[in-house]
Amino acid sequence: MTDSSVSNRAAVLQLVQLSSRLDPWAVRAAATLRLPDLVADGADTTSELAARSGTDPDALGRLMRHLRILGLFRTTAAGRWELAELGELLRDDHPMRIRRTLDQADHYVQKVDRSAHGLLEAVRTGGAVWERLHGLSFWDDMSADPRFGRGFDAQMARHSALYSPAITRGYDWSTVEHVVDVGGGTGRTLVTILGTHPHLRATLVDLPGPVAGAATVLEEADVAGRCVVVAQSFFDPLPPGGDVYLLANTVHDWSDEDSARILRRCAQAAGPGGRVLLADRVVTDEADEAAQAFVSGVDLLMLMLNSGRERSEEEFRELGATAGLRHTATHALADYPLMSLVEYVVEG
Ligand SMILES: C[S@@+](CC[C@H](N)C(=O)[O-])C[C@H]1O[C@@H](n2cnc3c(N)ncnc32)[C@H](O)[C@@H]1O
């Protein structure tokens, strides 16, 4: 074999793997059947794994062979299954909770996964494809289908567990008395901030579905006495009186036009000199390749779901300016560098 045919073969194999029809589904099957947990729990033969996962032993053996090649499992000298490093990441109790983002038993996960083929149309049309695929826009679908909404809220709670400690540590909350969390979901992010900063009062704003679950979340964290919950759209006038209007992981869900409408509502409620704080991903060429790939992947997902987008610092600056906000700072969160705080002040 010549050098060029060797590198050509490597490139072909790389492309075959990148465009695999099956690999993403093999990983999802492992996650849904909890194969990593079962192997860790001692089911280290194919027959035992099949018995405990309720699967066909021959088909499961073939799936396990493929998952071994993908790097999730290894076989010992005695021919028993053991977890490889990638498989460890799919344990249910892994702190990143990746397994649950792939679990096909979760209605939200399943619906989003099965919509991913819509990317082609999203690129052709330049906008969301959810409505064409499912008959309603992403957010209307969530209100109409409580199982979908609950699944989404649970995924958001898991995301929030990853970034809310970083938001809590990454901003000088001693300068704030009253924070309004706009699109604050079930209150998970707020609970972390309030729990660490006992001087803070808060208002949580979101649609009726997510805020219905907020009372329990706030009470369990013993912060309900410091938080008012408001069920409304953030496209309507927002409660006034906050020192900071926080939008965590929310503006990226929306087009520039809709994002500007939301930011204008924040600016009106905050008043001149008031602050608006975004926790979002910031597109930059300076991040490492894996981080850039993650952010560009989320960007495409946002395009498909809801015509949303990830933005560069310059795009955040311009977006703020259209809503009467002056951009004052952007900094990556030290404990969660995939996300940054984008800070604005309302122009006087
Ligand atoms: C990606 S989630 C982020 C949730 C929360 N900020 C967090 O950190 O966990 C976006 C939130 O925006 C809310 N949302 C969507 N449309 C809304 C609207 N028109 N008015 C208020 N909230 C809305 C959703 O219900 C959801 O809770």
Side-chain angles (χ1 to χ4, degrees), residues 139 156 163 183 185 189 206-207 210 232-234 248-250 253-254:
W139 301 111
M156 290 313 108
Y163 59 71
T189 301
D206 207 299
L207 296 172
Q232 66 155 86
S233 169
F234 47 42
N249 196 24
T250 291
D253 290 331
W254 299 94

Side-chain angles (χ1 to χ4, degrees), residues 228-246:
V228 173
V229 178
V230 181
Q232 66 155 86
S233 169
F234 47 42
F235 292 112
D236 294 331
L238 290 167
D243 306 306
V244 167
Y245 286 73
L246 171 69

Side-chain angles (χ1 to χ4, degrees), residues 138-139 142 152-153 155-161 163-164 167 181-190 204-211 230-236 238 246-254 262 279 302 306 339:
F138 186 71
W139 301 111
M142 204 162 292
F152 173 82
D153 290 342
Q155 294 294 332
M156 290 313 108
R158 284 190 273 282
H159 286 186
S160 170
Y163 59 71
S164 59
I167 297 175
D181 190 358
V182 180
T186 56
R188 299 277 175 189
T189 301
L190 211 42
L204 172 69
V205 176
D206 207 299
L207 296 172
V211 302
V230 181
Q232 66 155 86
S233 169
F234 47 42
F235 292 112
D236 294 331
L238 290 167
L246 171 69
L247 289 143
N249 196 24
T250 291
V251 170
H252 80 147
D253 290 331
W254 299 94
I262 299 166
M302 293 305 114
N306 203 34
M339 214 173 233

Side-chain angles (χ1 to χ4, degrees), residues 200-340:
L200 277 176
R201 285 181 300 114
T203 302
L204 172 69
V205 176
D206 207 299
L207 296 172
V211 302
T216 315
V217 171
L218 295 165
E219 272 157 28
E220 279 173 1
D222 204 17
V223 296
R226 289 190 280 135
C227 186
V228 173
V229 178
V230 181
Q232 66 155 86
S233 169
F234 47 42
F235 292 112
D236 294 331
L238 290 167
D243 306 306
V244 167
Y245 286 73
L246 171 69
L247 289 143
N249 196 24
T250 291
V251 170
H252 80 147
D253 290 331
W254 299 94
S255 66
D256 284 347
E257 198 188 1
D258 285 333
S259 297
R261 286 170 62 208
I262 299 166
L263 291 181
R264 248 177 248 125
R265 288 302 186 195
C266 292
Q268 283 163 1
R275 287 174 275 170
V276 177
L277 184 65
L278 271 46
D280 245 319
R281 294 158 198 84
V282 173
V283 175
T284 165
D285 296 339
E286 280 153 33
D288 64 51
E289 216 169 278
Q292 288 192 44
F294 176 77
V295 173
S296 62
V298 178
D299 178 54
L300 291 174
L301 185 65
M302 293 305 114
L303 166 72
M304 244 184 57
L305 298 183
N306 203 34
S307 300
R309 66 188 310 136
E310 305 302 323
R311 297 176 172 89
S312 66
E313 184 177 28
E314 188 49 35
E315 288 168 332
F316 276 116
R317 191 190 315 278
E318 287 168 11
L319 179 65
T322 64
L325 297 172
R326 181 165 49 82
H327 175 255
T328 50
T330 300
H331 56 92
L333 290 167
D335 310 334
Y336 191 74
L338 285 172
M339 214 173 233
S340 297

Side-chain angles (χ1 to χ4, degrees), residues 49-212:
L49 258 184
R52 289 181 56 185
S53 61
T55 51
D56 176 84
D58 173 63
L60 181 70
R62 291 154 72 184
L63 174 67
M64 288 299 287
R65 180 176 61 193
H66 194 60
L67 292 170
R68 186 188 63 203
I69 293 165
L70 294 184
L72 272 73
F73 296 98
R74 287 189 294 261
T75 36
T76 65
R80 294 182 177 272
W81 292 111
E82 66 180 16
L83 276 180
E85 196 183 344
L86 285 183
E88 289 285 356
L89 292 174
L90 277 188
R91 298 279 303 273
D92 189 54
D93 63 359
H94 187 278
M96 291 192 74
R97 301 280 187 258
I98 297 171
R99 192 200 72 76
R100 298 184 198 188
T101 67
L102 302 170
D103 190 338
Q104 298 300 299
D106 180 313
H107 185 54
Y108 169 78
V109 170
Q110 189 193 80
K111 205 162 176 178
V112 172
D113 278 349
R114 286 167 194 265
S115 306
H117 65 89
L119 177 62
L120 174 61
E121 187 187 331
V123 171
R124 283 200 169 120
T125 62
V129 292
W130 197 267
E131 188 159 353
R132 197 191 62 73
L133 293 178
H134 302 292
L136 291 170
S137 77
F138 186 71
W139 301 111
D140 287 345
D141 200 4
M142 204 162 292
S143 303
D145 178 355
R147 223 160 39 110
F148 183 56
R150 279 195 302 276
F152 173 82
D153 290 342
Q155 294 294 332
M156 290 313 108
R158 284 190 273 282
H159 286 186
S160 170
L162 297 177
Y163 59 71
S164 59
I167 297 175
T168 303
R169 282 192 286 271
Y171 189 69
D172 184 3
W173 293 101
S174 71
T175 65
V176 183
E177 278 179 30
H178 181 189
V179 53
V180 181
D181 190 358
V182 180
T186 56
R188 299 277 175 189
T189 301
L190 211 42
V191 153
T192 311
I193 298 172
L194 292 177
T196 314
H197 298 287
H199 72 279
L200 277 176
R201 285 181 300 114
T203 302
L204 172 69
V205 176
D206 207 299
L207 296 172
V211 302

